[in-house]
Structures are given as structure tokens and as C-alpha cells.
Amino acid sequence: MIGHMEPTELTLRKPNAALVLVHRAGKLTGIERKLFNSVLLSSISQLATYRDVHGQDPDNTHLYSAPADELLDPIEVGKSNLKSSLRKHMTNLRRAEVDWEAPDAKSGVIWKNLSVLSQAEFEIREGRLIALWALPPDLNAAIADPKKFPFTKFDLSKVAQLHGYTAVALYDICARYRNNFLRGGDGVCLTSANEPGWWVDA
């Protein structure tokens, strides 16, 4: 379980193949995309702790867990209160089926038609609401081995200030290319060269 996260700890290493979520069943909101990022950040932290303690990765039955307020820290801005609706948002993450696409993949779909979460539960421990979740095996493998699976770093404190699904989705994709300078180094960055329809779906 993670401790309280400070702003300096809100840098997420998100697998590139998980940057684009093309919906096939169910729909996610902007808040739920932010929650997915927070879930990944927490999972990566817990995975590192598990390795330190056990000297190996957990098996596929392992559930990650975090107190609701700590999971929501990287999402909430101002006086918002998402705790009361966390169950609904986690349920939507569990029900959403997506095609995972790397924005610059030359072979099309990388992971096809997966749920964002493979399991979600809630418990009360000592009066605190605890969220528990499992990631699909392929996504779990990606966060476990960043050397094998390319990733993009971005700051969740900046994402928290965005409003709406489109803004969060575009930030995810464009963060991948923020250092992809146009040849000649004039400060202009190029995103992936995809048809407009791809961007709409993404």
C-alpha cells in the first residue's frame, strides 16, 4: 500500500501502448482517465515495494490496494470531492473495454480489446475506504519491465488541472512527443502522422 504522495512523486511512467484507449465497450470520463493514471502510478510504486520485500514480482492473483483518499490525491483540485463517487468510477474502469494502441505503432493494434482493470473491490479497514484492483496481465507486464516496454513520463499534477476527456486524452498522446523536435531543432515538436479519424477515435 502506498503512503501519502507529495507533488514531487506524481511523475508517471506510462507505457506507450496504454496512451491511446480506443473504446469498444463502455465509455470513460475525463475523471476516469485521470483515475486510471493514478491507479497506474500507485501500482508501479507498490510493485517496486513488493520486489524490495519479496525479491520477485507478485503472481497474477495479486491485488494492488490504496486508501481512497490517497488514490484521489493526484486527481482532485480545489474543493472537489470524488470519494463519494469512487466506486462508480472504478466500476466504469472495470467495465470499459478498449483497444490499446501505441500512437506511433507501425503494426496497428498492440493489445486488442482488453478491460482497463481486470478486477476491482472495496473494503473498509479501520474506518477507511480501501480500493483494491488487478491489472490485465499484459499491462502488468508493461509496468513491471519499463526497459522492454517504452514509456512516457508526465506530471499528474498538470493532468489534474485539465477538464474533460478530450483534454486528458490529448495530453496523454502529445506528452509522448514533447521532445520530438522537428529536424533542425527550431523548437517545433511533431506528433505522430495519423489520419484525422485516428485522432478522433483516440
Side-chain angles (χ1 to χ4, degrees), residues 74-150:
I75 302 173
E76 294 192 295
V77 175
K79 298 181 179 179
S80 62
N81 181 13
L82 298 175
K83 194 171 182 178
S84 61
S85 57
L86 179 61
R87 183 176 300 182
K88 179 190 75 171
H89 295 313
M90 290 289 283
T91 299
N92 288 343
L93 288 178
R94 170 64 188 91
R95 290 177 176 171
E97 293 183 4
V98 298
D99 285 352
W100 305 86
E101 290 190 39
D104 47 7
K106 296 180 180 178
S107 57
V109 176
I110 302 300
W111 295 327
K112 192 172 185 180
N113 196 29
L114 295 180
S115 297
V116 177
L117 298 180
S118 57
Q119 186 171 334
E121 298 179 12
F122 294 89
E123 295 180 1
I124 300 294
R125 298 178 187 169
E126 299 178 353
R128 299 184 75 185
L129 178 64
I130 307 296
L132 301 94
W133 66 90
L135 299 176
D138 286 340
L139 182 55
N140 214 46
I143 68 168
D145 192 354
K147 292 182 179 179
K148 182 178 179 182
F149 295 90

Side-chain angles (χ1 to χ4, degrees), residues 13-35:
R13 302 189 319 269
K14 189 170 186 178
N16 288 348
L19 296 177
V20 178
L21 311 180
V22 180
H23 294 96
R24 298 306 179 200
K27 288 290 184 181
L28 299 178
T29 65
I31 287 174
E32 286 154 3
R33 279 201 69 130
K34 294 178 187 181
L35 179 60

Side-chain angles (χ1 to χ4, degrees), residues 152-186:
T152 295
K153 287 185 179 181
F154 53 93
D155 185 350
L156 294 191
S157 64
K158 293 180 180 178
V159 179
Q161 300 174 44
L162 301 175
H163 298 283
Y165 184 92
T166 302
V168 179
L170 281 174
Y171 182 92
D172 273 17
I173 298 169
C174 293
R176 167 78 177 85
Y177 301 100
R178 66 170 164 260
N179 296 318
N180 188 34
F181 294 110
L182 186 66
R183 189 171 298 173
D186 61 1

